[in-house]
């Protein structure tokens, strides 16, 4: 876990992009029933692990990103670039 955090610190997104780590799949319902892993969909929520500095407009003014590291966000079903760092099992997604 600690090694993963240091890898994310080395990977800094550019412009208005953010790195998002998906939340783990739910395998147990609130009623206590366990779901088989093949029937669960990819979760549509995640946590921001790295944020770019922001985007510049035509005049060169920097507009900082409103998100910060640790924020919980909802993800679209499609989109984002999947990034796998080293031999880690965790995958992160790069969104704009």
């Amino acid at each position: 876990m600690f090694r993963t955090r240091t890898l994310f610190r080395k990977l800094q997104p550019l412009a208005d992009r953010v790195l998002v780590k998906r939340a783990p799949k739910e395998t147990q319902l609130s009623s206590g029933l366990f779901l088989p892993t093949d029937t669960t969909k990819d979760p549509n929520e995640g946590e921001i692990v790295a944020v770019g500095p922001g985007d510049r407009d035509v005049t060169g003014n920097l507009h900082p990103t409103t998100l910060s590291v640790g924020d919980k966000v909802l993800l679209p079903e499609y989109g984002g670039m999947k990034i796998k760092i080293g031999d880690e099992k965790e995958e992160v997604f790069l969104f704009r």
Side-chain angles (χ1 to χ4, degrees), residues 27-63:
T27 56
Q28 184 177 12
L29 298 175
S30 60
S31 62
L33 295 174
F34 286 96
L35 298 173
T37 56
D38 58 340
T39 60
T40 56
K41 297 187 326 182
D42 285 335
N44 66 340
E45 55 187 51
E47 182 179 350
I48 304 286
V49 292
V51 179
D55 201 14
R56 294 197 181 270
D57 61 8
V58 177
T59 60
N61 295 329
L62 180 68
H63 297 281

